[in-house]
Amino acid sequence: MRSYSLLASAKINLYLEIIGDRLDGYHELAMVLQSIDLVDRIDLRAIGTDTIRVRCDHPQVPPDKNNLAYRAADLLAKQFPDALAKYGGVEIAIHKQIPVAAGLAGGSANAAAVLVGMDLLWQLGLTQSELQELGGTLGSDVPFCIAGGTALATGRGDQLSPMPDCGPLYVVLAKFRNLSISTAWSYQTYRQQFSSSYCAPEDLDCRRERLHSGPMVGAIAQKDRSKIGQLLHNDLEKVALPVYPQVLQLREAFDSAGVLGTMMSGSGPTVFALAESQERAEEVQERVKSAIASPDLDFWVTKFSNTGIRIVSDGN
Ligand SMILES: C[C@@](CO)(OP(=O)(O)O)[C@H](O)COP(=O)(O)OP(=O)(O)OC[C@H]1O[C@@H](n2ccc(N)nc2=O)[C@H](O)[C@@H]1O
Ligand SMILES: Nc1ncnc2c1ncn2[C@@H]1O[C@H](COP(=O)(O)OP(=O)(O)O)[C@@H](O)[C@H]1O
């Protein structure tokens, strides 16, 4: 039986600006997305029957048809029935390290790994852009999770322009264990509060004038780490910080710890901070840990990564 193991990277949002409504009901965005070295391992194994099975060691992750990894496999099975008939179904085992519903795209990264791994398992020979096209139908962040690295993401987050690697930067992440924020809630609440300032879908001048991502794109091109820290931005903080005092508390604690910059990632509630070295990142972690002193607070120290999906073993 053929099998593959893959590592799927989480992402953080260095920049997230909401431009307006789209005709498909989503939001038009300008984001800078960055892969980090916090990964889930996905083991894929060909099984004799034509079914898809999912196992996951995390209690909050559904081991059924609602799992994004299951949906990725099901999508390929529907698109390529001949491959399903030839190679059989697949068992997907997810070993979670990326916190769930945390604004770090864990589910999207798992779906991305399944698309990349099943392309190999079923010898489909799809290109990266074909995989991304399929991934975009599962979720807006999936195309980026396939590509990884650093990218400017526009449209609903699925139109990617790769950006240069901005050099070694270290990341401290913190999240209250029992707190999660729904992405759908974040965008809906943002729309309720701010849609009066949205650009209309057809108003291209408004869209061009609204975009403020240029300085961040420039700072990355120049590998200017302090500027990257200063220019971090996330419009979704406007809805999360007033409702979730724990997120605000983390933002303030990181700010006082003397970091290059700090921001909520995506729809939250994870807050990250950037540091110039691993040592400095560990110091920041200790400072925030003692400032907040909560047994419910989890931390991770990691670094920027230039890959989305890594194949770690091909156990044919
Ligand atoms: C906010 C971000 C930032 O990177 O990430 P997370 O915090 O979820 O990790 C993304 O935009 C999330 O991407 P993803 O999680 O793939 O979202 P989807 O499944 O496509 O959509 C989830 C929900 O968010 C809304 N949504 C998503 C993307 C977008 N451009 N506009 C939206 O309004 C959709 O209407 C849907 O209700
Ligand atoms: N493979 C998966 N890993 C994580 N969450 C998943 C997965 N499949 C479905 N989900 C569901 O998707 C939701 C969002 O999870 P996740 O992708 O981790 O967060 P976010 O959208 O904040 O980046 C959760 O409620 C979770 O139950």
Side-chain angles (χ1 to χ4, degrees):
M1 286 292 172
R2 292 166 61 83
S3 65
Y4 284 93
S5 287
L6 304 100
L7 297 181
S9 306
K11 61 84 191 160
I12 54 173
N13 302 77
L14 300 178
Y15 190 88
L16 191 164
E17 185 180 6
I18 298 177
I19 310 293
D21 268 326
R22 290 167 54 89
L23 293 171
D24 60 11
Y26 281 63
H27 286 86
E28 183 74 18
L29 304 174
M31 299 194 285
V32 176
L33 297 170
Q34 174 65 53
S35 299
I36 55 172
D37 228 342
L38 174 63
V39 295
D40 286 342
R41 199 182 86 231
I42 310 294
D43 298 328
L44 297 179
R45 193 168 64 88
I47 50 178
T49 58
D50 66 352
T51 51
I52 299 163
R53 285 188 220 137
V54 179
R55 287 190 283 125
C56 182
D57 53 9
H58 193 296
Q60 261 175 280
V61 175
D64 55 23
K65 297 187 174 194
N66 295 312
N67 195 299
L68 269 168
Y70 180 100
R71 291 180 45 214
D74 190 46
L75 176 66
L76 289 183
K78 296 216 161 83
Q79 293 274 327
F80 302 100
D82 294 348
L84 176 66
K86 183 171 174 189
Y87 296 102
V90 64
E91 183 183 70
I92 304 166
I94 304 171
H95 307 275
K96 271 271 157 204
Q97 290 190 73
I98 305 173
V100 176
L104 300 173
S108 304
N110 295 172
V114 168
L115 293 176
V116 170
M118 283 186 63
D119 175 56
L120 298 169
L121 203 64
W122 284 1
Q123 304 192 351
L124 298 172
L126 297 171
T127 62
Q128 178 164 298
S129 76
E130 286 169 335
L131 289 170
Q132 287 174 315
E133 187 82 34
L134 288 166
T137 67
L138 300 167
S140 311
D141 273 346
V142 179
F144 172 75
C145 290
I146 292 173
T150 313
L152 179 67
T154 53
R156 61 184 172 90
D158 57 340
Q159 301 301 310
L160 301 174
S161 308
M163 293 176 63
D165 183 348
C166 44
L169 257 173
Y170 291 81
V171 189
V172 192
L173 301 134
K175 177 185 175 289
F176 281 94
R177 199 164 307 131
N178 299 318
L179 184 64
S180 55
I181 301 181
S182 138
T183 303
W185 174 85
S186 301
Y187 281 112
Q188 261 165 34
T189 311
Y190 193 92
R191 181 177 275 128
Q192 278 159 17
Q193 293 180 11
F194 299 104
S195 62
S196 59
S197 67
Y198 280 10
C199 293
E202 67 283 359
D203 191 346
L204 298 179
D205 285 341
C206 172
R207 288 173 179 231
R208 263 191 296 272
E209 279 159 29
R210 180 66 59 80
L211 274 178
H212 298 106
S213 56
M216 174 60 92
V217 171
I220 291 170
Q222 291 155 15
K223 302 191 192 300
D224 185 336
R225 298 188 293 179
S226 3
K227 237 192 211 163
I228 294 171
Q230 286 159 21
L231 292 169
L232 296 174
H233 176 83
N234 183 354
D235 274 341
L236 290 176
E237 281 201 339
K238 293 178 199 159
V239 292
L241 297 188
V243 176
Y244 296 100
Q246 304 97 315
V247 181
L248 180 60
Q249 187 186 20
L250 275 175
R251 283 282 274 106
E252 289 174 348
F254 274 124
D255 250 337
S256 313
V259 293
L260 292 174
T262 173
M263 194 55 49
M264 183 179 82
S265 183
S267 53
T270 305
V271 173
F272 68 90
L274 303 182
E276 51 280 90
S277 67
Q278 165 111 17
E279 267 174 8
R280 184 75 197 107
E282 282 165 5
E283 262 169 45
V284 166
Q285 170 183 234
E286 289 315 310
R287 276 202 195 187
V288 173
K289 219 180 243 177
S290 49
I292 297 187
S294 164
D296 297 328
L297 191 52
D298 289 328
F299 286 89
W300 298 262
V301 170
T302 183
K303 59 182 187 319
F304 281 18
S305 162
N306 55 16
T307 51
I309 306 298
R310 263 173 292 166
I311 298 150
V312 284
S313 90
D314 161 356
N316 285 334

